[in-house]
Amino acid sequence: MNKLTLTIFGGTGDLTYRKLLPAMYNLYIKNQLPKEFLITPIGRRDYTDTDYQGVIEPWISEFAQVKVKDEQLQAFFEHIHYFRMDFTTQSQYQLLDQYYEAHPSENHVVYYAVAPDFFEGITDGVSTMENMHEPKIVLEKPFGASFELAKFLSKKLETLFGSNHIYRIDHYLGKEMVRNILTIRDANLLFKNVWNKDSIDHVQISALEEVGVETRGNYYDHAGALKDMVQNHLLQIMSIVAVDDPTGNMNEQQLAVLKQLRSVDKLKIQDTLLLGQYDGYRQELHVDPASTIETFAGLKLFIDNERWQGVPFYIRTGKKMARREIEVKITFKRQREDVDPNVLVIKIQPTEGVYLEFNIKTPGEDSITKAQMDFCQNCNLIFKLNTPEAYERMLHACMIGDNSWFTKWEMIEYSWEYIDALKQMYSDANLPVYTYPQGSVEPKELSQLYHKDFEQWN
Ligand SMILES: NC(=O)C1=CN([C@@H]2O[C@H](COP(=O)(O)OP(=O)(O)OC[C@H]3O[C@@H](n4cnc5c(N)ncnc54)[C@H](OP(=O)(O)O)[C@@H]3O)[C@@H](O)[C@H]2O)C=CC1
Ligand SMILES: O=C1O[C@H](COP(=O)(O)O)[C@@H](O)[C@H](O)[C@H]1O
């Protein structure tokens, strides 16, 4: 690989500290970076390289996959040069250009780790730079401040840099167990031929987080859980679970699923969507004290196609929940009234693994009891060490020009329009944003959505 140059707009932000730099460090330790590489984090703060190293050291130590050794960390730091600029001032891009004239490279990756309102200004600035050849642009989600702006920006970026050079990142696509969903389904006869409406009763996709909005109130209070988690990460997972042909082109297959999402009757929106807000959210930093933004979203969706007709897909996600847990639970149909259904759980995080529940004869009796098999993939040290972190995988794919891990605009368009429409219906119907106590797993009213299919969502 040619010399790599990674420029991070938002180099003093939470994402850079917590995810991007630890991921780059992992790649460095695993010898997956070219010999020559330069990381240039950009921020407004007045830091020398030494100051910056002091700031990032604890983050890398905490979040790198392997125990950090001082010598290796110091060697890694040699490749990082902090650059101070205000990226909203166009004239400052000339200074950045001069900096790159002095640090030439043929492989530029430019990461927009900033709020979407800044994407256009940065794009304008970068496009004027002569010493940044054919950069690959990595966009964090949300991909624009609004759907219209995202569409406009996407077109502009593709025109300026070429569609193959635009990398819209959804880091959930880099998670090991998300990638594993297709394999579990397709490589096992046990599941392959029963992955449809005839055998599956319902699907639950749950993404609970213990953290609240932390320091991100500015952004979150405009986005909310639907835009922050559902429209991207969770619809991605849902569409991966539901693809028709797991061996086909994933972009096309997933897009087909999104296009087949059932349109919702606005008069029945309460049967599809429920929103909640954790108690105390309005007192969080940078949050409107009268905010009605949702920190929890629960959905019941249907896919209108031959494979999934009539099978509900439940999605829930929230902040300040009782535990951190992301999983996909597939409940099969009862094959007899007197026995429990089979259940398959694909655990995405923090435990990575597969859980299967099936029926056996109770030893010594004639009755039936449940057997529960719980495979923990990341309990195996070798598996754990061989599993790249999501951002590590995505950054590496981008460096080598592998765009297949990244989201295509059409998918974003469909999911954005779908979720926006639901949210509009919810607000038009004057449905409440239910308050829920911190440390719960959902607002108690959520059971209205699912009680016909199951009693409790643990
Ligand atoms: N944090 C996370 O876990 C995740 C974040 N994201 C997305 O990543 C993006 C960034 O998020 P996050 O890191 O949390 O945001 P932060 O608010 O923590 O960081 C924002 C960064 O932008 C910089 N910045 C803002 N204005 C300017 C300016 N005029 N000139 C130069 N630098 C400026 C800040 O620099 P300064 O130090 O000068 O203020 C800071 O480095 C968002 O789009 C978010 O949605 C996506 C997934 C997860
Ligand atoms: O994109 C986002 O994801 C994180 C959760 O990511 P994870 O990898 O820790 O599961 C979420 O906290 C954040 O609000 C959202 O923007």
Side-chain angles (χ1 to χ4, degrees), residues 233-301:
H233 307 321
L234 301 181
L235 284 187
Q236 285 278 5
I237 294 182
M238 177 181 169
S239 59
I240 291 173
V241 171
V243 289
D244 205 43
D245 173 9
T247 60
N249 174 310
M250 279 307 280
N251 276 313
E252 286 169 16
Q253 295 273 320
Q254 286 181 260
L255 182 61
V257 171
L258 293 182
K259 287 183 174 175
Q260 289 158 343
L261 278 172
R262 182 180 295 173
S263 339
V264 173
D265 177 348
K266 65 178 179 197
L267 298 176
K268 294 192 178 153
I269 181 69
Q270 70 279 7
D271 299 336
T272 298
L273 180 64
L274 185 136
L275 301 179
Q277 185 186 81
Y278 65 78
D279 202 8
Y281 171 74
R282 293 174 182 185
Q283 283 77 56
E284 296 278 23
L285 193 67
H286 305 309
V287 164
D288 178 350
S291 173
T292 53
I293 207 80
E294 77 285 356
T295 59
F296 178 96
L299 297 94
K300 179 182 185 178
L301 303 179

Side-chain angles (χ1 to χ4, degrees), residues 10 12-15 18 44-45 85-87 113-114 140-141:
T12 49
D14 177 74
L15 181 72
R18 217 153 40 87
R44 284 171 298 192
R45 298 175 206 192
M85 75 181 264
D86 181 333
F87 55 55
V114 298
E140 261 302 338
K141 53 122 273 244

Side-chain angles (χ1 to χ4, degrees), residues 307-326:
R307 181 178 292 279
W308 295 111
Q309 198 61 250
V311 178
F313 281 74
Y314 291 99
I315 294 179
R316 74 171 176 187
T317 181
K319 290 198 181 284
K320 287 280 183 196
M321 300 273 115
R323 56 182 186 271
R324 176 169 181 249
E325 185 180 86
I326 303 187

Side-chain angles (χ1 to χ4, degrees), residues 18-19 140-142 171-172 175 209 211-212 216 219-220 228-229 232-233 319 324 326 349 390-391:
R18 217 153 40 87
K19 305 276 193 187
E140 261 302 338
K141 53 122 273 244
H171 75 280
Y172 271 50
K175 290 189 190 281
E209 293 189 272
V211 290
R216 300 172 67 214
Y219 148 75
Y220 196 89
D228 190 51
M229 290 292 290
N232 30 67
H233 307 321
K319 290 198 181 284
R324 176 169 181 249
I326 303 187
Q349 95 189 7
Y391 274 96

Side-chain angles (χ1 to χ4, degrees), residues 7-13 16-17 39-49 52 81-88 92-93 96 111 113-114 122:
T7 307
I8 308 177
F9 287 97
T12 49
T16 302
Y17 292 159
I39 302 173
T40 304
I42 292 176
R44 284 171 298 192
R45 298 175 206 192
D46 189 12
Y47 286 153
T48 61
D49 278 346
Y52 190 72
H81 293 297
Y82 177 75
F83 191 90
R84 186 180 179 206
M85 75 181 264
D86 181 333
F87 55 55
T88 55
Q92 298 207 357
Y93 288 85
L96 186 62
Y111 206 115
V114 298
I122 295 176

